[in-house]
Amino acid sequence: MMRVLWLCLGCLMLALGVIGAFLPVMPTTIFLILAVACFSRSSPRLEKWLLESPTYGPALRAWRDQGAVSRKGKTYACLGMAVGYVLFWWGAHPSWRLAAAVAIFFVASAAYVVTRPSPREPGPGGEPPGG
C-alpha cells in the first residue's frame, strides 16, 4: 500500500515538474528531486529513468550525491524567485505585511539555494572526489 502511495506521489511530483518546465515562474527541478525521492521508495525503474535523463539527470544526481546545485541552477532559481515575487506584487496587490512575509520567504529560500555547494568534478572513475 505504501509503495502505491509513494508511486502516486512521485507521479504527481513528476507532473508538476513537467508543468514547471513550460511555465516560467514554476520550478521544475525541485519537483523532480521530490519525484526521484518518491520513486526511490516505489519504482527503481522510474528513479533510474529520471537520474539518467540527459536534461535533468546531472542536476538530480548532483543534488542526491553531493547536496550540490550548479551555478547556473542557483542563478535560475534566484531569478525565478525574483520574477515570481514581482508577479505576485503586481498581480495580488498584497498588504505590506503579506508582501514582507513573502519577501522574507523568498530571501530565505534564495539564501538556502545560494549556500549549497557547487557540484564537484568527477574523478578518474567518473565518481566525485571523495565519493
Side-chain angles (χ1 to χ4, degrees):
M1 180 65 173
M2 285 305 294
R3 185 175 176 178
V4 172
L5 290 174
W6 283 117
L7 180 64
C8 290
L9 189 57
C11 289
L12 175 64
M13 295 299 113
L14 178 60
L16 291 172
V18 169
I19 291 168
F22 295 100
L23 294 178
V25 296
M26 188 167 164
T28 300
T29 308
I30 187 62
F31 289 117
L32 297 182
I33 287 170
L34 293 170
V36 167
C38 293
F39 290 148
S40 74
R41 292 166 176 82
S42 62
S43 175
R45 183 178 58 86
L46 289 172
E47 176 190 26
K48 181 180 178 190
W49 175 71
L50 274 176
L51 291 172
E52 292 179 357
S53 160
T55 305
Y56 296 105
L60 296 173
R61 289 189 306 272
W63 177 257
R64 175 183 239 176
D65 299 340
Q66 305 169 29
V69 178
S70 70
R71 178 176 286 148
K72 180 180 175 182
K74 292 174 187 181
T75 301
Y76 280 131
C78 291
L79 286 174
M81 285 184 257
V83 168
Y85 185 78
V86 167
L87 291 175
F88 161 73
W89 180 269
W90 177 71
H93 307 289
S95 68
W96 71 268
R97 286 186 178 125
L98 180 59
V102 171
I104 289 168
F105 175 77
F106 277 150
V107 168
S109 298
Y112 178 79
V113 169
V114 168
T115 58
R116 298 306 90 204
S118 294
R120 296 184 303 267
E121 293 296 320
E127 293 293 320

